[in-house]
Amino acid sequence: QQQVKQSPQSLIVQKGGISIINCAYENTAFDYFPWYQQFPGKGPALLIAIRPDVSEKKEGRFTISFNKSAKQFSLHIMDSQPGDSATYFCAASSGNTGKLIFGQGTTLQVKP
Amino acid sequence: DAEITQSPRHKITETGRQVTLACHQTWNHNNMFWYRQDLGHGLRLIHYSYGVHDTNKGEVSDGYSVSRSNTEDLPLTLESAASSQTSVYFCASSESSGRANEQFFGPGTRLTVL
């Protein structure tokens, strides 16, 4: 049972455009929602995370939007750059357990 | 600089053989995790440990075991490798003081079971 569903599977965006990746979750006990970025041949790296007490968190060009009632959250990459080309994973966790449930991943390609 | 390393980076083995993947971290983190990454499934938790001599089963633990004899290492053992265990394996670590979910990942081990 996939508790975190991520879409789209792949995404192509022009340089300077906005990349949007969506995730939906089922478990209302989830209280931590991170996004990880993974480059080919590397391990995932924490990019940005949000807790359900806020609806938006911004760090540089990266923004998480969170909709608690819809049980959805999304990653927005503003002014997308070719260096942002990577695979992005959303995840969710309940409590300070470290037991992350990951989405299926989205491969982003930013064209110059 | 603190880091988390995995070895080997690539491994080819045969069905039925025992395989051990190493994970070593110098962050002095109490928490350590093993995940497998498969296309269409993202990362799935295999086993995790909150400290020395502590181990716990994750979502996909069948056929895998871990042991934690010190803070720095959490080796993952496949007792009898199966073709279904062909995957990329990632080790991760995190602090225990309220930041267990902020995990640092190693570079991964690509395992092929023939």
Side-chain angles (χ1 to χ4, degrees):
Chain A
Q1 181 183 4
Q2 187 66 39
Q3 295 189 56
V4 179
K5 294 184 178 180
Q6 183 173 343
S7 63
Q9 185 174 357
S10 61
L11 182 62
I12 300 174
V13 173
Q14 291 294 127
K15 179 182 176 181
I18 302 174
S19 303
I20 302 174
I21 305 171
N22 301 298
C23 283
Y25 63 97
E26 300 169 3
N27 188 346
T28 56
F30 288 150
D31 60 3
Y32 178 79
F33 302 89
W35 285 89
Y36 280 81
Q37 180 187 56
Q38 183 182 29
F39 293 105
K42 305 291 186 182
L46 180 62
L47 186 62
I48 186 173
I50 197 169
R51 296 195 180 275
D53 53 343
V54 296
S55 60
E56 185 175 283
K57 184 173 182 179
K58 184 176 182 180
E59 291 185 1
R61 295 184 294 109
F62 299 91
T63 300
I64 299 179
S65 296
F66 184 81
N67 186 329
K68 188 174 182 178
S69 61
K71 293 188 287 185
Q72 295 176 348
F73 58 109
S74 59
L75 176 69
H76 296 238
I77 306 174
M78 311 300 288
D79 186 26
S80 298
Q81 299 296 313
D84 296 331
S85 297
T87 300
Y88 293 81
F89 293 96
C90 63
S93 178
S94 174
N96 189 38
T97 62
K99 295 172 63 177
L100 294 172
I101 305 296
F102 282 85
Q104 299 92 326
T106 297
T107 300
L108 170 65
Q109 181 183 359
V110 181
K111 290 193 169 183
Chain B
D1 288 343
E3 62 178 355
I4 180 165
T5 57
Q6 294 184 235
S7 62
R9 294 295 313 277
H10 301 271
K11 174 76 176 178
I12 299 175
T13 191
E14 296 177 343
T15 301
R17 290 191 179 268
Q18 183 181 78
V19 177
T20 296
L21 309 182
C23 174
H24 179 81
Q25 53 97 4
T26 58
W27 292 96
N28 198 34
H29 286 162
N30 284 326
N31 302 337
M32 295 185 73
F33 308 85
W34 273 104
Y35 295 88
R36 59 177 290 173
Q37 183 177 12
D38 304 287
L39 197 62
H41 290 277
L43 291 94
R44 291 179 290 176
L45 184 62
I46 304 172
H47 280 287
Y48 58 101
S49 168
Y50 289 140
V52 177
H53 302 311
D54 175 74
T55 61
N56 305 280
K57 294 182 179 180
E59 179 188 0
V60 290
S61 61
D62 288 348
Y64 304 94
S65 63
V66 294
S67 63
R68 186 93 178 268
S69 59
N70 59 52
T71 300
E72 295 80 17
D73 300 287
L74 186 69
L76 177 71
T77 298
L78 287 69
E79 301 293 344
S80 177
S83 58
S84 60
Q85 295 177 309
T86 292
S87 185
V88 181
Y89 291 86
F90 288 98
C91 178
S93 70
S94 67
E95 296 180 18
S96 56
S97 54
R99 303 182 69 172
N101 295 319
E102 298 178 22
Q103 297 179 18
F104 295 84
F105 281 78
T109 294
R110 181 174 295 275
L111 176 67
T112 302
V113 183
L114 301 176

